[in-house]
Amino acid sequence: MTTVPSRPRAARFATFMFFGLNGFAMGMWVVHIPNVERSTGISHSTLGALLLVLGGAAFAGMQISGPLVDRFGHRRLVPAAGVFLGLALCGPGFANSWWTLGLTLMLFGFGNGAIDVGMNSHAVVVERAYPRPIMAAFHAMWSIGGAIAAVIGAATLGAGVPTGVTLTGTGLLCVLLSLVSARFLMEPADAPAVADAAEAAPVRRRAPGRVVWLLGLLALALMLSEGVANDWAALHMEKVLGTSASTAALAYGAFAVAMTTGRFLTDRVAAWAGPAAIVRYGAALAAVGLTTAAAAPWVPLSLVGWALFGLGLSGGVPQLFTAAGNLSTRGSGALMARVVGLGYVGLLAGPALIGGLTRWMPLNVTFGVPVVLCVLAAVFAGVLSPKPEPAEQPVG
């Protein structure tokens, strides 16, 4: 077995911390949305518009931070983004009007986008120093951070702790973790296997400009599908199958648990089967799972479908991010920003697209859109496979 030096192991742990704190910060905001809405006195429609502001600011943060991480390095950009995110998280708890909430969400979204690109770019650098894939586990840690936030948020809400106090405490914890973890981060030159990894990148013989857009479109397709599950799984169970709200919640629970579990398992499978197989067969499984969930007349079968959907989607996006980061060792941040940004657009657009289509067709029929996108992702997963070297012609 190959022994991993202590520096990459420490950097791996630090990357886990940043993924976890990002998921934790987002989770704490999500569980306090109803309280913030009441305290500011805004309507549901106004809240929806402000959430779009958050999403737009996150996209801007991704595009700005990509080139910055290439210029200033991970040790500066990633902790700075973590500190910015933590401080911005304090704001929504003290907002008292629509415009103060909008301003704080703009800052929070920008910080979230910046750390998203920075930590994924750093994860690619750390993975280069390992003899096996490790990216998917980082994304699983994001989910774990969100789950921890849900538990802590429920406890503080139940105890009647003011929202401003809870979010301030959470934000300051994120600041502290960012500063403590900063010293363990790596730059591309610190990765012992960086040169070999760059040469072995799955897309090394294709033009980076073309490939990065293909990777981004695949990320958009898979993350749009994920967004559909996040916002419509429970409503599908309740409205189409006629279950209670508590039973309907199991649909998203089955999806989320399967996705988190799959991400912890994906790295080992990717080491054996390769990234293209993860995307191809995972997207195909996701298409089968969502079709089952949408067409099932029984609750248990629908839950199985949602679980298969989550399992199929679990490993694809980490493989796409790794491929984007390995297209170039010098401009990986900017390339990563394009792929992450397009994926984020899909995550935001998916729920809205399904909502619009429900004006003309039943909810379960609208799920045909993400099913088709998953099929297309399976078809075009070959972008992650290396092209063979052209055979040398004999001389004379």
Side-chain angles (χ1 to χ4, degrees):
M1 292 183 64
T2 303
T3 301
V4 179
S6 58
R7 180 65 180 274
R9 287 202 302 269
R12 183 187 185 192
F13 179 78
T15 310
F16 274 125
M17 294 296 292
F18 280 106
F19 272 84
L21 75 84
N22 183 213
F24 182 66
M26 286 299 298
M28 290 301 291
W29 153 243
V30 168
V31 299
H32 285 89
I33 287 178
N35 270 14
V36 172
E37 184 184 37
R38 284 191 295 271
S39 64
T40 54
I42 60 176
S43 64
H44 291 332
S45 59
T46 300
L47 175 63
L50 293 179
L51 291 177
L52 287 178
V53 170
L54 186 152
F59 184 80
M62 292 173 186
Q63 303 314 304
I64 292 174
S65 65
L68 290 180
V69 75
D70 293 331
R71 181 173 181 179
F72 296 108
H74 299 97
R75 291 198 194 99
R76 294 181 180 179
L77 188 283
V78 179
V83 170
F84 190 98
L85 179 70
L87 294 177
L89 180 58
C90 303
F94 298 103
N96 55 14
S97 63
W98 70 266
W99 70 268
T100 54
L101 179 60
L103 178 60
T104 59
L105 290 184
M106 189 180 300
L107 297 174
F108 181 64
F110 186 90
N112 181 60
I115 195 173
D116 201 337
V117 168
M119 68 189 186
N120 274 289
S121 177
H122 182 258
V124 171
V125 172
V126 176
E127 189 177 45
R128 289 172 186 159
Y130 271 75
R132 61 186 185 279
I134 58 173
M135 175 66 87
F138 293 137
H139 287 254
M141 192 63 193
W142 191 97
S143 300
I144 296 297
I148 294 173
V151 173
I152 294 178
T156 55
L157 288 169
V161 180
T163 299
V165 173
T166 302
L167 294 185
T168 298
T170 301
L172 295 179
L173 176 62
C174 291
V175 170
L176 177 62
L177 291 176
S178 298
L179 294 175
V180 170
S181 303
R183 63 187 297 264
F184 301 108
L185 299 181
M186 295 175 61
E187 301 296 351
D190 299 328
V194 63
D196 296 336
E199 290 298 320
V203 288
R204 63 186 181 274
R205 298 184 186 96
R206 307 180 188 215
R210 173 174 172 264
V211 173
V212 73
W213 291 114
L214 291 174
L215 294 173
L217 290 173
L218 288 175
L220 185 149
L222 296 181
M223 292 182 72
L224 185 150
S225 302
E226 180 182 343
V228 170
N230 291 343
D231 283 28
W232 291 102
L235 278 173
H236 162 262
M237 190 75 74
E238 183 176 353
K239 301 299 183 182
V240 177
L241 296 182
T243 67
S244 64
S246 58
T247 302
L250 295 176
Y252 176 70
F255 171 84
V257 170
M259 172 168 274
T260 303
T261 303
R263 283 179 169 169
F264 277 118
L265 299 175
T266 291
D267 289 329
R268 294 184 180 276
V269 179
W272 168 70
I278 293 294
V279 175
R280 179 177 296 113
Y281 297 112
L285 178 62
V288 171
L290 185 54
T291 302
T292 301
W298 308 293
V299 170
L301 182 58
S302 185
L303 290 175
V304 170
W306 285 113
L308 291 177
F309 188 45
L311 186 63
L313 290 179
S314 62
V317 170
Q319 308 309 310
L320 298 174
F321 287 179
T322 292
N326 281 326
L327 284 172
S328 170
T329 57
R330 293 184 178 181
S332 61
L335 295 173
M336 181 76 72
R338 296 183 199 174
V339 177
V340 176
L342 281 173
Y344 194 76
V345 168
L347 192 66
L348 294 175
L353 175 62
I354 295 301
L357 290 175
T358 56
R359 298 179 181 178
W360 298 286
M361 61 187 73
L363 177 59
N364 56 337
V365 176
T366 66
F367 290 163
V369 173
V371 167
V372 170
L373 289 176
C374 287
V375 171
L376 290 175
V379 171
F380 290 101
V383 69
L384 291 158
S385 299
K387 284 187 174 181
E389 293 278 10
E392 292 187 7
Q393 299 296 324
V395 180

